[in-house]
Amino acid sequence: MKKVLVTGGAGYIGSHVVKSLGKKGYELLTIDNLSTGHKEAVLYGDLVVADLSNKEKIKELIKDYKPDAVIHFAASIEVAESVQKPLKYYRNNTANTLNLLEVLNDLGIENFIFSSTAAVYGNPEQIPIKETADINPINPYGQSKAFVEKILKDLSQANKNFRYISLRYFNVAGADPEGQIGQSYKNPTHLITRALKTAKGEFEKLYIFGTDYPTPDGTCIRDYIHVNDLADAHVIALESLLSGRDSDVFNCGYGHGYSVKEVVETAKKVTGVDFPVEEAPRRPGDPAVLVADSSKLRKELNWKPKFDDLEFIIKTAWNWELNKRF
Ligand code: UFG
């Protein structure tokens, strides 16, 4: 079976992809610095604790392992934090990816899947967003990922053997329906997780950041995609690269969105808790609407999502919140 190196495989999305690939029989090695990940989340393959800033160590590991492909999740992921600490994002997300790509290039490793983001589009001109829309990030997080996309494009043009797929994630949410893994951050900032932790009593109230956006109810609209459907997108992207597909970029979302207020109402319904909510000013760096046009992923890679249902997404996250293993 093929060998896949997964950076950030102990994190939220990475661990779900490790599980999906592990179930299919892939041989896996996760590299993770465990800054936000958990060793218990890695259900298949080996885990090495290392940081991508340590280029020598990474090179040694990859030279020994000789992967057929690399899936690169390891990154910092909070839009608001990136506005406060841009250098952290350019270091972790851009510079460290450059380290990794230099190592892969030196070692002749040619198949690469990159965790990109809808944040590369900034405030898009058209909704739903197609992959051909302008890349125009409005926060350092999106910019740090957009830089990598450009580097990947240039590298694949210079070295025809190097092929990559960038997956631009929209709002990833939910947890493993089997309940083994899920999101587990010390200080979560994502809407669904914050809402559920407020329902649980871990936070006093949930703030709605901005009610004056140009949307029907004034709150931001996002395309929430279940983490297992996103994991499937990685599996098919990997399989297509391994069977010789050219480099490409795909949006990962369902193609319709929910407002913050709609998410809050659904979270109240699923949990049965009428938790306190307060309207607050806008959070810096938030675009009003991000909804994917995912027809390319559906048509070209035959992606067939199974969990396009906000209530189900929130139910799996709630189940995880109540029965966490780590
Ligand atoms: N929000 C609140 N209250 C909260 C948390 C969030 O009102 O307590 C709002 C945000 O302001 C935003 C929406 O809920 O309008 C979604 O916010 P999240 O923090 O859950 O997610 P983001 O849209 O900011 O970002 C996420 C990922 C990014 C990715 C982006 C793409 O974290 O990596 O989705 O859509 F780029």
Side-chain angles (χ1 to χ4, degrees):
M1 201 58 177
K2 298 282 187 190
K3 293 203 276 190
V4 182
L5 178 89
V6 182
T7 76
Y12 168 49
I13 302 171
S15 63
H16 286 78
V17 172
V18 163
K19 180 173 175 181
S20 297
L21 292 173
K23 274 183 157 181
K24 294 198 99 182
Y26 282 91
E27 199 184 304
L28 297 161
L29 175 66
T30 287
I31 298 181
D32 199 299
N33 66 7
L34 297 185
S35 61
T36 56
H38 302 267
K39 58 181 185 327
E40 302 90 332
V42 184
L43 299 179
Y44 289 86
D46 293 326
L47 165 68
V48 175
V49 180
D51 194 282
L52 295 181
S53 60
N54 188 346
K55 196 172 166 186
E56 286 314 307
K57 179 155 186 192
I58 298 301
K59 187 163 189 177
E60 242 171 69
L61 282 169
I62 298 179
K63 203 171 170 180
D64 284 350
Y65 190 61
K66 299 186 190 69
D68 297 291
V70 175
I71 309 184
H72 177 40
F73 295 99
S76 302
I77 58 153
E78 289 173 23
V79 169
E81 185 193 43
S82 81
V83 177
Q84 305 301 326
K85 299 182 184 167
L87 298 181
K88 173 175 173 183
Y89 281 71
Y90 294 123
R91 168 63 56 195
N92 277 348
N93 296 1
T94 312
N96 285 352
T97 303
L98 193 55
N99 277 349
L100 176 64
L101 289 170
E102 283 169 347
V103 167
L104 300 181
N105 199 46
D106 287 351
L107 298 175
I109 291 159
E110 297 170 343
N111 299 302
F112 190 78
I113 295 185
F114 178 57
S115 299
S116 188
T117 169
V120 300
Y121 297 115
N123 275 314
E125 284 188 1
Q126 276 196 330
I127 299 287
I129 309 167
K130 286 190 193 304
E131 289 83 353
T132 48
D134 288 349
I135 300 302
N136 210 357
I138 59 163
N139 52 59
Y141 168 68
Q143 183 64 65
S144 71
K145 293 280 184 173
F147 281 139
V148 174
E149 286 208 15
K150 179 74 176 104
I151 293 168
L152 289 170
K153 191 170 184 187
D154 291 346
L155 178 60
S156 68
Q157 274 164 5
N159 172 3
K160 295 289 174 209
N161 293 324
F162 177 83
R163 286 169 300 109
Y164 72 94
I165 288 183
S166 274
L167 297 175
R168 293 181 182 151
Y169 309 161
F170 283 64
N171 285 57
V172 190
D176 173 26
E178 293 171 0
Q180 287 182 292
I181 46 180
Q183 200 180 76
S184 186
Y185 298 135
K186 275 200 201 91
N187 190 17
T189 62
H190 290 99
L191 176 61
I192 291 178
T193 311
R194 289 292 295 202
L196 297 179
K197 283 185 178 292
T198 309
K200 244 176 112 184
E202 286 184 36
F203 298 114
E204 210 177 298
K205 56 180 124 170
L206 180 80
Y207 293 97
I208 295 188
F209 298 135
T211 50
D212 58 348
Y213 284 97
T215 59
D217 68 15
T219 65
C220 289
I221 294 178
R222 295 288 183 272
D223 185 337
Y224 294 90
I225 169 175
H226 191 280
V227 64
N228 277 48
D229 281 334
L230 183 67
D232 281 353
H234 287 76
V235 174
I236 55 183
L238 174 71
E239 286 170 352
S240 74
L241 271 186
L242 291 172
S243 51
R245 193 193 162 86
D246 276 345
S247 297
D248 216 333
V249 178
F250 295 93
N251 284 338
C252 299
Y254 292 135
H256 55 86
Y258 296 94
S259 72
V260 174
K261 284 188 175 167
E262 287 172 324
V263 170
V264 170
E265 284 318 304
T266 311
K268 287 185 174 182
K269 183 175 167 203
V270 166
T271 60
V273 182
D274 187 15
F275 53 83
V277 175
E278 188 174 307
E279 296 189 357
R282 290 183 179 195
R283 192 174 70 174
D286 279 345
V289 182
L290 287 173
V291 173
D293 179 333
S294 54
S295 50
K296 186 175 170 193
L297 182 64
R298 292 171 198 262
K299 281 190 202 121
E300 294 191 21
L301 293 187
N302 199 25
W303 181 60
K304 291 196 165 60
K306 298 185 196 81
F307 306 119
D308 178 0
D309 174 346
L310 185 63
E311 230 178 277
F312 180 81
I313 292 174
I314 294 180
K315 268 185 193 151
T316 58
W318 182 233
N319 178 45
W320 170 251
E321 241 0 282
L322 296 176
N323 304 289
K324 284 174 119 170
R325 294 173 49 247
F326 49 83

